Amino acid sequence: MTAMTPQDAQAPQSERPGRIMAREMAEQPEVLRRILDTGAPTIHEIARRVAERRPRFVLLTARGTSDHAALYAKYLLEIRLGMPCGLASMSTITAYGAKPDLRDVLAVTVSQSGGSPDLVASTQAAREAGAITLAVTNNPDSPLAAVSEHHIDILAGLEKALPATKTYTASLLALYLFVERLGGSDGAAAASLPALAGDLLARQAEVKALAARYRFAERMVITSRGYGYPTAKEAALKLMETSYIPALAYSGADLLHGPLAMVDNISPVIAVVPDGRGGEALRPVLDRLRGRGADLVVIGPKAQVEQASAGFALPTDGVPEEVQPILEIIPLQLLAYEVTIARGQDPDAPRALAKVTETH
C-alpha cells in the first residue's frame, strides 16, 4: 500500500520512505480481529474483577497518542456508564510530590511501550494511595505492567514506525471492550470493525488525492465534537510529527470561542463528523466555517462530505457512534502518511523523535 515516487520505485524495498508506517497501518484489520478473537476474554475477566470493587471515580493517565486513547475512554465511561472521570496531571505527583487519596478510584494508565518513568511512577503512587490500577499497553513485560494490579495487552505486535498507528486503534478497541463489559454489555457492536477497517485501507487512492490538494498547506485546523474529538487531536499529532505541518485541534465548541478568527479560505479545516449526537452538535460549527469560506474537508457520513469542499465518506450505517473513532482515524493516518510522502519526507523517521519518550 506504500505510495511511491519515481525515485522510490528505483530504490530497494528496504530504503523506501514510509515503508514501515505503511506496513503497520495495513496490519490494523488483523490486529482488531486478534483483539476480538483472542484478547476479549481476558479483557472481560479484568472488567468483571474491577466491577466487583465498584470504583466511584476513574482517573486516566497517558501521554501523546495514548493520551488521545485515554480521552476516548473518558467519553465512553461518562456517556455509556455515567462514571465521573478525570485526566491525570502526572507532575502533581512526580514533580510536586502530592499524595492524593485514591481509595475506590480506578486508575487507568494507557501506554504503548509501558516504559515512560513518569507513567510508571504515577501508577505506582496511585496504587500506594489505594487506587485500583489498570495498565493498557502493547508490552506485557513492561515496567508499567509490573507495577499495575491489572494489565490489558492490546496485542498489536511490535510497532517499529515512530508514528503510532496500529497501537492507537488497538488501544481504542481494548478500552471499548473493557468499558462495555464494565457496564455489563458484550461489545458486540465492534464485530464489524476488522472488515470495515480493511475497506477503508483499500481506499488509499482517495486519500492520496486529498494529500495532493494539501501538500503545500502551511497550517491545518482539525475540529470535532463528542466521540470524534479524540480523533481530531490524534490526527493533528500525526500530521505534525510526520509532515511537520502545524495542525491545531479544537473542540467545535472551543473553535467558536476565538480561534475561528484565524480561519480563512487558504488554510484547510478538517472536520471529523460523527454520525450521531456529536455530529449534530458540530453542525452549527460547520455552518460557520462554510460562512467564512473555509476550505472544509469532512471525514464522516456521505451526506456531510457532499456539503464540503472535499472529504472522505465513512461507513457509518449500523456502526454506533461510540465505535466510529476506531474507523475515523484510519483515513487521517493515511492522510498524514501521503502528505508527508508528497512533501518529500519520510514518515518513518520524524526528526527529533524517539519511539519511547522518557518523561519524568
Side-chain angles (χ1 to χ4, degrees), residues 4-337:
M4 291 185 287
T5 65
Q7 293 84 356
D8 294 335
Q10 299 174 11
Q13 178 67 33
S14 61
E15 298 177 3
R16 288 175 185 158
R19 70 191 183 282
I20 302 174
M21 183 179 178
R23 182 178 66 241
E24 291 175 354
M25 286 190 293
E27 291 174 8
Q28 289 177 105
E30 176 188 347
V31 171
L32 296 175
R33 190 171 292 109
R34 186 184 306 138
I35 294 170
L36 291 171
D37 293 345
T38 305
T42 300
I43 294 171
H44 290 168
E45 175 59 20
I46 291 171
R48 183 190 66 79
R49 293 179 191 172
V50 171
E52 286 180 346
R53 295 173 64 178
R54 303 177 64 86
R56 59 184 171 84
F57 186 85
V58 181
L59 188 63
L60 296 150
T61 305
R63 296 281 192 201
T65 284
S66 295
D67 197 35
H68 306 148
L71 180 59
Y72 167 70
K74 185 175 187 292
Y75 276 93
L76 283 174
L77 287 158
E78 292 181 345
I79 296 169
R80 303 287 291 171
L81 305 186
M83 292 186 71
C85 300
L87 297 175
S89 300
M90 280 174 279
S91 63
T92 61
I93 293 173
T94 60
Y96 291 92
K99 297 185 181 299
D101 179 358
L102 299 181
R103 287 171 294 179
D104 301 323
V105 170
L106 171 61
V108 180
T109 306
V110 187
S111 170
Q112 175 221 310
S113 68
S116 185
D118 58 350
L119 294 171
V120 175
S122 62
T123 300
Q124 179 67 51
R127 189 169 183 178
E128 292 171 357
I132 309 161
T133 53
L134 168 64
V136 180
T137 82
N138 195 39
N139 183 2
D141 298 320
S142 64
L144 179 60
V147 302
S148 299
E149 182 179 356
H150 303 288
H151 175 256
I152 290 175
D153 185 352
I154 63 172
L155 302 174
L158 181 63
E159 188 172 60
K160 295 182 179 179
L162 286 175
T165 54
K166 64 179 182 175
T167 53
Y168 179 69
T169 49
S171 296
L172 296 191
L173 179 54
L175 288 162
Y176 169 75
L177 293 174
F178 172 76
V179 173
E180 286 295 289
R181 179 58 73 175
L182 196 62
S185 300
D186 61 3
S192 63
L193 292 177
L196 293 174
D199 293 343
L200 293 177
L201 288 162
R203 294 166 58 191
Q204 187 171 359
E206 295 178 49
V207 180
K208 189 173 182 180
L210 283 178
R213 179 185 179 109
Y214 299 119
R215 61 180 294 190
F216 297 114
E218 294 184 0
R219 71 165 183 242
M220 291 187 182
V221 174
I222 308 177
T223 188
S224 189
R225 291 203 69 179
Y227 286 112
Y229 182 44
T231 306
K233 291 175 72 68
E234 172 62 10
L237 177 61
K238 284 292 156 285
L239 283 161
M240 288 189 286
E241 69 183 355
T242 56
S243 69
Y244 317 140
I245 296 174
L248 307 172
Y250 293 100
S251 156
D254 289 334
L255 185 64
L256 298 183
H257 284 267
L260 185 68
M262 71 178 173
V263 174
D264 53 31
N265 60 358
I266 299 174
S267 300
V269 177
I270 300 175
V272 180
V273 184
D275 188 10
R277 294 187 182 183
E280 292 170 7
L282 194 62
R283 284 181 185 175
V285 182
L286 301 180
D287 291 340
R288 291 285 298 276
L289 290 168
R290 294 188 191 98
R292 291 189 60 82
D295 185 359
L296 180 61
V297 183
V298 165
I299 309 297
K302 182 178 179 181
Q304 290 294 329
V305 172
E306 290 173 346
Q307 299 179 46
S309 306
F312 186 98
L314 292 174
T316 57
D317 289 346
V319 181
E321 183 178 0
E322 58 268 20
V323 298
Q324 290 174 26
I326 300 170
L327 302 176
E328 290 166 352
I329 192 59
I330 291 175
L332 292 162
Q333 292 172 344
L334 292 170
L335 181 64
Y337 170 86

